[in-house]
Amino acid sequence: MNDNNSPRVALVTGASRGVGCGIARALGAKGMTVYLSGRTWDGNGTDVVNGQPLSGNLRQAAADVCAAGGQAIPVLCDHADDVQVAALFKRIELEQGRLDLLVNNATFLPAQLIEPGPFWDKPLDMAGMLDVGLRSAYVASCLAMPLLLRSRQGLIAFISSYGANCYMHGPAYGAQKAGCDKMAADMAVDLETTAVSAVSLWLGLQKTERSALAGASVGAEYAAFLDRAETPEFTGNLIHALLNDPDLKQLSGQALIVAEQALTYGLQDLDGRQPASLRNQLGGPRGVNPARVG
């Protein structure tokens, strides 16, 4: 079940559209077997940005992965439902016998996320990001571990952002991203004696339909900024490079800026551009105290 010649097996959560879909597509292009989880099987989902529903669904995302050269296995799964998540990992165990890569991308993004105003003037469902985005990543990581331990080199990758360390979209968003960073750091301690590593990845602004719609009402300045954004495939290619890095264990527990780590592997974006780190503008990951208690 862990044949070195067999395709590596990945699960990308929240892969119906956007960042998750792009990451899955990039992994497929590397010949991986990719499970894609999400809530939208066909048509459009319920997410709306500036009054327009977001396109994308699992069936189309899986077709894109196959077209890129991978094997795609789409699975309907609401990551707010632990029973559905457990069934997803049971299926992977029955069909593959192991898992090499878990990409914790699924998250709840409220329609009011980028609207101005303080947190108390926004709906309480903003806290949904702490359920699907933070708690869901913990649950998926726990359930994935028995399968990841069967991999010759396994990886848990959390999708984070500069919002983990600067004010971005309010306290619920920031807490979710900072929480992912801390989970990666603490999981790495428990993983030290295993072949599994955990990292948290800081993405820059993404070239997705959501970003384009969100910025449509902001003006030309945002449009120019979006032109310099990263594609989700850029992150997917970085994750693949990390998974195959013989020195991956040395990175375990760290929060990594995608644009910076890509330089280590000589990775460029799809258009040949080298995305720039936003460390100088938005800050960098915080250090973790080496003390251990309990």
Side-chain angles (χ1 to χ4, degrees):
M1 290 185 180
N2 199 7
D3 182 359
N4 287 348
N5 296 318
S6 63
R8 309 297 294 280
V9 181
L11 166 62
V12 182
T13 70
S16 300
R17 61 180 64 85
V19 171
C21 179
I23 289 173
R25 196 159 48 237
L27 297 175
K30 301 297 184 181
M32 294 187 70
T33 296
V34 185
Y35 282 77
L36 304 89
S37 67
R39 296 179 299 141
T40 307
W41 180 259
D42 211 346
N44 295 330
T46 58
D47 289 355
V48 175
V49 178
N50 279 345
Q52 184 169 329
L54 294 178
S55 63
N57 54 68
L58 283 173
R59 194 165 77 168
Q60 182 57 57
D64 290 346
V65 171
C66 291
Q71 179 185 1
I73 304 172
V75 182
L76 271 175
C77 179
D78 182 350
H79 281 270
D81 186 332
D82 293 352
V83 174
Q84 292 186 39
V85 179
L88 167 62
F89 284 102
K90 184 63 176 178
R91 176 174 174 178
I92 295 174
E93 180 180 24
L94 291 173
E95 295 177 354
Q96 307 298 331
R98 77 173 199 279
L99 185 67
D100 299 297
L101 170 65
L102 169 63
V103 181
N104 280 313
N105 171 73
T107 190
F108 171 67
L109 293 176
Q112 301 86 358
L113 181 65
I114 63 172
E115 291 182 1
F119 68 90
W120 60 87
D121 284 341
K122 295 183 179 181
L124 280 177
D125 68 2
M126 295 289 288
M129 289 181 280
L130 305 180
D131 296 321
V132 181
L134 188 56
R135 183 184 182 279
S136 65
Y138 181 83
V139 171
S141 299
C142 288
L143 295 175
M145 275 307 302
L147 299 177
L148 288 165
L149 288 171
R150 301 175 191 175
S151 173
R152 64 181 184 272
Q153 177 160 285
L155 174 63
I156 300 172
F158 294 90
I159 300 302
S160 187
S161 84
Y162 294 87
N165 197 21
C166 74
Y167 183 92
M168 184 179 290
H169 307 325
Y173 180 87
Q176 187 255 313
K177 297 306 182 187
C180 284
D181 288 2
K182 191 61 166 64
M183 278 202 288
D186 288 355
M187 286 181 184
V189 174
D190 291 343
L191 294 170
E192 280 180 343
T193 60
T194 76
V196 183
S197 299
V199 298
S200 191
L201 301 176
W202 283 24
L203 282 59
L205 181 65
Q206 297 292 292
K207 287 186 177 179
T208 62
E209 181 186 24
R210 180 185 294 273
S211 294
L213 290 173
S217 60
V218 178
E221 183 178 348
Y222 184 91
F225 187 48
L226 189 59
D227 284 340
R228 301 191 298 273
E230 305 164 1
T231 68
E233 287 84 353
F234 181 59
T235 298
N237 287 331
L238 176 72
I239 292 173
H240 184 265
L242 286 166
L243 179 64
N244 291 281
D245 187 341
D247 297 321
L248 173 60
K249 207 65 182 173
Q250 297 180 22
L251 298 172
S252 189
Q254 295 187 36
L256 304 170
I257 295 175
V258 171
E260 293 179 359
Q261 190 63 29
L263 294 172
T264 303
Y265 301 121
L267 296 176
Q268 297 178 322
D269 213 333
L270 299 183
D271 59 1
R273 206 172 41 83
Q274 197 73 58
S277 169
L278 301 177
R279 181 187 291 268
N280 289 338
Q281 299 97 313
L282 302 178
R286 295 176 177 175
V288 177
N289 192 290
R292 299 182 179 184
V293 181

